[in-house]
Amino acid sequence: MNVAVSTVSRRIDALEADLGLRLLDRRASGARLTPEGRRIAVLARPIVDQAAALRRAAEGLAVEVRERPLVISATEFVVSDLLAPALTTLFRASPKLSVVLRSQAEIVSLAHREADLAIRMSRPKGDSLIAKRLGDIALGCFAHRDYLTGRDPATLDFSAERLLIYDDSYGRMSELDWVAAAGLERAVAMRTPSTRGLLTATVAGAGIAILPALYALRAGLIAVPTPFAIPPRTAWLITHRDIRRLPAVRTAHAWVVQTFTAMLKETAALVAATAAPQP
């Protein structure tokens, strides 16, 4: 058993004390089981066999976990414009890792292993889930110069413009409350669950859209001042407590955090550069 005799002796002493029985006769010629010890050994055998079976099963499951792809669930835009471009960083950290980037709006069950990690814009409930706050994603109103046709963005009356916004596929998001609070429901010309759809429609000059600032500014859109600030979205990275220590999950978790941190820094730099007075 690769265990020192003194260690075995201490463990047997502790077992005898716990059971209140003498299990071994210790003699100069060696140790033998007492009658009570023989009966206890017979009863213990199935427990030993079950423990061995449990370990074999766990080892098999661990191999299965290592070999199956790691599933990361997020919204369409987070998958296509944030995670997918950063995959080379993940594969450098773990070259043998295989991942599934699953674009879906609905809430997935981490308990049923529908995903190993999920990125959502609302904090989940449940003691079995661990949520890490990734940060606040800045939002704003943006338009293309073709839509503005030379007009000063600061002078626009939103109620007389075409507003492009998200629908409620992801739940009641803060920007929808902003539209209602600003009294702009009648100005809404398009609703969609797709950030990509909002972005391309805005680039085509269809109207003024509420968009994540980073991607709007990357696309060369012009910020349109709003009557009052649009609340940011808070992103959360969610995993199940039972699998959080698996090496693949820990690697992917750190990668997502790193990717979001870089995105937030780029957003802050772009917003600052845009707000800076032009020489």
Side-chain angles (χ1 to χ4, degrees):
M1 294 177 64
N2 296 318
V3 180
V5 172
S6 58
T7 301
V8 174
S9 180
R10 285 197 303 272
R11 291 176 180 174
I12 292 174
D13 289 343
L15 180 60
E16 288 180 326
D18 188 47
L19 297 178
L21 295 170
R22 189 165 58 88
L23 304 177
L24 287 179
D25 274 332
R26 297 170 176 84
R27 301 177 183 178
S29 58
R32 291 179 174 81
L33 288 172
T34 63
E36 294 79 13
R38 286 194 294 271
R39 292 186 62 185
I40 293 296
V42 170
L43 293 172
R45 174 55 58 186
I47 299 173
V48 174
D49 293 340
Q50 288 178 2
L54 186 149
R55 178 166 293 279
R56 289 193 301 271
E59 289 172 351
L61 291 171
V63 171
E64 178 185 331
V65 167
R66 287 195 299 270
E67 291 180 349
R68 75 174 183 83
L70 187 83
V71 179
I72 303 175
S73 171
T75 60
E76 156 255 348
F77 208 65
V78 169
V79 166
S80 62
D81 286 69
L82 187 61
L83 298 183
L87 274 175
T88 52
T89 303
L90 175 63
F91 293 150
R92 279 198 296 268
S94 185
K96 295 184 179 180
L97 185 63
S98 174
V99 298
V100 174
L101 298 181
R102 185 163 292 161
S103 173
Q104 50 196 155
E106 66 273 10
I107 301 299
V108 297
S109 172
L110 299 184
H112 294 159
R113 301 301 295 275
E114 293 175 357
D116 300 297
L117 292 168
I119 300 166
R120 286 295 178 264
M121 301 303 152
S122 60
R123 186 170 189 172
K125 297 178 181 179
D127 294 336
S128 64
L129 300 178
I130 297 177
K132 177 176 177 58
R133 181 173 179 159
L134 293 170
D136 293 335
I137 300 175
L139 300 172
C141 283
F142 297 89
H144 193 271
R145 61 177 58 88
D146 290 344
Y147 176 81
L148 295 173
T149 59
R151 295 177 294 164
D152 182 355
T155 65
L156 297 184
D157 176 5
F158 273 82
S159 63
E161 304 296 332
R162 291 194 301 270
L163 197 58
L164 318 177
I165 67 172
Y166 290 96
D167 65 14
D168 58 0
S169 296
Y170 300 112
R172 189 68 184 182
M173 295 187 295
S174 58
E175 56 264 40
L176 300 183
D177 293 331
W178 179 89
V179 170
L184 296 174
E185 293 282 3
R186 291 187 177 182
V188 175
M190 184 187 80
R191 299 175 189 266
T192 177
S194 169
T195 303
R196 175 65 58 193
L198 282 177
L199 185 61
T200 54
T202 310
V203 169
I208 301 173
I210 298 176
L211 286 164
L214 173 63
Y215 300 105
L217 294 174
R218 275 183 180 177
L221 296 176
I222 299 169
V224 179
T226 57
F228 53 95
I230 300 174
R233 282 194 212 154
T234 301
W236 297 88
L237 177 56
I238 310 155
T239 189
H240 197 278
R241 190 176 299 277
D242 290 347
I243 66 168
R244 71 190 189 282
R245 298 191 186 281
L246 291 176
V249 173
R250 293 175 64 180
T251 298
H253 192 283
W255 168 69
V256 171
V257 172
Q258 176 186 354
T259 302
F260 263 82
T261 300
M263 181 269 290
L264 294 174
K265 287 181 179 178
E266 184 182 353
T267 300
L270 273 176
V271 170
T274 304
Q278 297 298 317

